[in-house]
Amino acid sequence: MNQFHISVVAHLIAEPVRSIMLINLSGGEALSASALAEAAGITAQTASFHLAKLRDGGLITVESVGRYRYYRLAGPHISQLLESLASVGPVTSQWQTTPSRSARELRFARCCYDHLAGQIGVLITQGMLNRGLIAMREGQHYVLTVEGHRWFEQQGVEINADRAGSHRLCLDWTERQYHLAGSPGTALLEAFIAWKWLSRSSKSRALKVTESGWKALEQHFGIRQPQGIVAAQ
């Protein structure tokens, strides 16, 4: 393990302006310097300085499209690093009050690698626990119950022996609560998208709940559509 490299990366991420820029890019979308400057509340000149630092450090890449330049994270490993760091620190209200629309959308519902995360991911996990579809085991593991197997079968989702085993829960970095991960979590996300309960964003990892999705979430997990949240078409 390269201790010098760790200290350089840690220094780049620790600067508040750069961390805001990285968080805004963590959804997977490519953003312009002006958009990142606005998100961080700094001038375009200051933004260029910090973006150059992040690029030289290997945390972001830049792509030129005509006269414009767009920045994105250097890869999914950077997003994973940010999420791991975000899950370690103290709980704050930053994500509840963020003015960034993309950040709010990521907090509400997003893909976490291959499963569902965010507020919706946590609520579904809690709904499955409340309805006895999954059960907690010692050491922050969960297992599918008999009722859970029956529910998956009724929905037409095949759960093989590997998917039925014990899996560690995933700590949600915005909600600071656990959500369903592992193979069952992957199966759920795939099914929700196939059933059009959820729709993907073309620009980020954010997900939206459709009108039929809200009806299904209330029916199966007791999750009601919050006021002010518009269903995807």
Side-chain angles (χ1 to χ4, degrees):
M1 185 177 295
N2 191 322
Q3 182 176 346
F4 174 75
H5 183 64
I6 290 176
S7 64
V8 170
V9 172
H11 173 73
L12 288 170
I13 296 175
E15 208 291 322
V17 166
R18 292 195 285 266
S19 67
I20 291 174
M21 289 178 162
L22 290 170
I23 287 173
N24 276 270
L25 291 171
S26 66
E29 61 266 67
L31 299 175
S32 65
S34 59
L36 291 168
E38 182 179 358
I42 56 177
T43 65
Q45 183 177 5
T46 303
S48 295
F49 168 80
H50 287 294
L51 288 169
K53 290 281 188 182
L54 292 172
R55 187 180 59 183
D56 292 343
L59 299 181
I60 64 173
T61 60
V62 60
E63 177 184 2
S64 296
V65 181
R67 296 166 42 201
Y68 301 98
R69 308 180 81 192
Y70 293 92
Y71 298 84
R72 66 170 69 245
L73 295 185
H77 62 293
I78 305 300
S79 180
Q80 293 171 19
L81 170 62
L82 294 172
E83 292 186 5
S84 296
L85 289 173
S87 67
V88 172
V91 177
T92 70
S93 61
Q94 180 180 5
W95 277 88
Q96 283 84 346
T97 59
T98 176
S100 169
R101 178 179 176 180
S102 61
R104 292 196 303 270
E105 290 176 345
L106 280 175
R107 183 193 174 213
F108 178 67
R110 65 183 180 275
C111 296
C112 179
Y113 315 125
D114 57 0
H115 57 270
L116 179 62
Q119 292 172 298
I120 290 297
V122 169
L123 286 172
I124 288 175
T125 300
Q126 190 59 54
M128 295 183 75
L129 285 167
N130 292 342
R131 299 192 175 202
L133 304 182
I134 57 175
M136 290 288 296
R137 292 291 182 263
E138 187 177 353
Q140 295 297 347
H141 285 75
Y142 65 86
V143 294
L144 280 177
T145 63
V146 172
E147 186 63 28
H149 278 282
R150 185 179 300 115
W151 183 86
F152 272 102
E153 289 175 358
Q154 290 173 347
Q155 310 314 311
V157 179
E158 182 179 353
I159 300 295
N160 56 34
D162 292 335
R163 285 185 164 180
S166 177
H167 300 276
R168 179 170 290 276
L169 294 173
C170 184
L171 181 61
D172 197 291
W173 66 282
T174 58
E175 303 312 295
R176 306 306 293 273
Q177 299 180 61
Y178 289 101
H179 60 242
L180 189 67
S183 297
T186 300
L188 273 184
L189 178 58
E190 292 172 351
F192 289 173
I193 291 175
W195 299 335
K196 298 187 178 353
W197 293 6
L198 296 176
S199 64
R200 293 183 184 271
S201 168
S202 61
K203 298 181 179 179
S204 74
R205 291 183 295 135
L207 298 164
K208 290 187 177 182
V209 183
T210 64
E211 184 176 350
S212 61
W214 280 119
K215 294 177 181 177
L217 291 181
E218 182 172 2
Q219 175 187 350
H220 293 283
F221 309 111
I223 302 171
R224 294 186 176 180
Q225 181 177 358
Q227 291 185 349
I229 298 295
V230 179
Q233 299 300 315

